[in-house]
Structures are given as C-alpha cells and as structure tokens.
Amino acid sequence: MQVEKQKRIPENLKKKQERDAKDAEDQKKQQTEQTQNAEKNAQYYAEAGKKHYEAFQQSAKSIVDKKRAAKANNEIFVEEEPKFLLVVRIKGINKVAPKEKKIMQLLRLRQINNAVLLKNNKAVMNMVRRIEAYVTYGYPTHQTVRALIYKRGYGKINRQRIPLSNNAVVEAGLGEFGIKCVEDLINEIWTFGEHFKEANNFLWPFKLNSPRGGLVSKRHQWMDNRGDQGPRDVHINELIRNML
C-alpha cells in the first residue's frame, strides 16, 4: 500500500495565511472594544446633550429676563458682543490680488462657498475687512452653528477629511481636551470655551451649496441693499439656511 505524500504548503502562502489570521483576530478584537466603548459612552452622550441643551436654554432665558427688567426700568440692555464670526466666501479666484489671496489661504477660505468660524478680535477683523470684496460675514446663532456641524461637519484627523458620522471621530480628534461627542463640540464652539481654538481647527471648512435663488450681486455691499459682500450681522443666518 503506497503512503500518500504529505502536501507541502509554500512558505510565502504559509506566511500570508498566518498574517491574515492575525489581522482578522486584531480586527475582531478592535470591533469588540468599539462595541464595549459605545455601550459605555451611550449614557454619557445622552447626559451631555441634555446638560448642554439646558445650559443654553438657561442662558437664553437669562438674556430675555435682563431685557425685560431693563425695559421695565426705562433702561437699555446691551448684549455682550459675539466672540466669533462666521465668514463665507462668495467670489472665485479671478483677479484676486496676491495679498488678498494669501489672507484667504490663512483663513482657510480656499474655495467659493467655503465657510469658517473665526475669533472676533482686532487682528482677524483687519484681515476680514481686507478681503470684504470676496466674502460676507456675520454672527451665527446657536441653531446655525448646530446645523453646520451636524449637516456639513467634517473633522481633521491625520490631515484627512473625516465625516462626523459618529461620536468616536470627535473623541479621536479632541478627546484629550475633554470633548468626546458632537454635542460637546457644539457647546465648546458656541460658548467660546477654553479649547475653542483646538475645536475650530479640528473642524474642516464647511463646504456649502450655492444659495437657493442665487445672489443679488457679488460686486456690491449687502449694507447698501444692492449686493451680497461685506458684513451682514445676524442676517448671515438667512444666507446659511439657503446654502445648507
């Protein structure tokens, strides 16, 4: 009776099988850890959302109460100036002077219909006024900030543009600053928190659509009721709603 010869496996194939088995095991382990972390953080996400919502409602109520008290005493209540701006680029690259082009690169306004959040200070305002012919800007509401992050939000991780499809993306980019979910991120931006700079840098510039109904005129100031460029104050929110 002839003994069957043992089938030999090539060395390269053997190494590949071992490598594939190890990768499959690592992937399974990683998925298990992610599932456990998701279950563990589910309660935190719910509590964080509730806490930030209640804080915002309390802050809004406080401002209304102060306005009513001032009116009852024949006084004037002046709200605190917003700490940040929303700037939207409305013109392309044709005939842009080198200095203005450099400023828009520094402000991350590289494409038409890009929108970014910027600190409202003297240095930034000097740059924004320099490029007024190419942008429009104003003060966003809480609803606008929330809509931008949820509908057009992308994070920057290892120089890559990652959609904010789940809270794990936010935690991977900003977990070291105590920002673990999208609600934490929105709250940090809106309240101009201690880590506003890191949170804002984590957010990729918002890529918006052309506004529904089109623009009136890119060559004239919005303040003159003839165009679209320049400051809009709180009316920037109407434009953003038409561009989402």
Side-chain angles (χ1 to χ4, degrees), residues 139-156:
Y139 306 120
T141 62
H142 183 270
Q143 183 180 2
T144 298
V145 173
R146 188 180 182 85
L148 281 171
I149 292 177
Y150 267 111
K151 294 183 179 180
R152 300 285 175 167
Y154 284 78
K156 181 167 57 179

Side-chain angles (χ1 to χ4, degrees), residues 163-180:
L164 302 182
S165 55
N166 57 63
N167 293 311
V169 177
V170 178
E171 188 170 3
L174 298 170
E176 59 183 307
F177 305 111
I179 302 173
K180 298 182 179 180

Side-chain angles (χ1 to χ4, degrees), residues 27-41:
Q27 186 176 5
K28 185 177 180 180
K29 183 178 179 182
Q30 185 178 4
Q31 289 176 347
T32 303
E33 290 178 355
Q34 289 178 350
T35 302
Q36 292 175 348
N37 290 335
E39 293 174 354
K40 179 181 177 182
N41 293 331

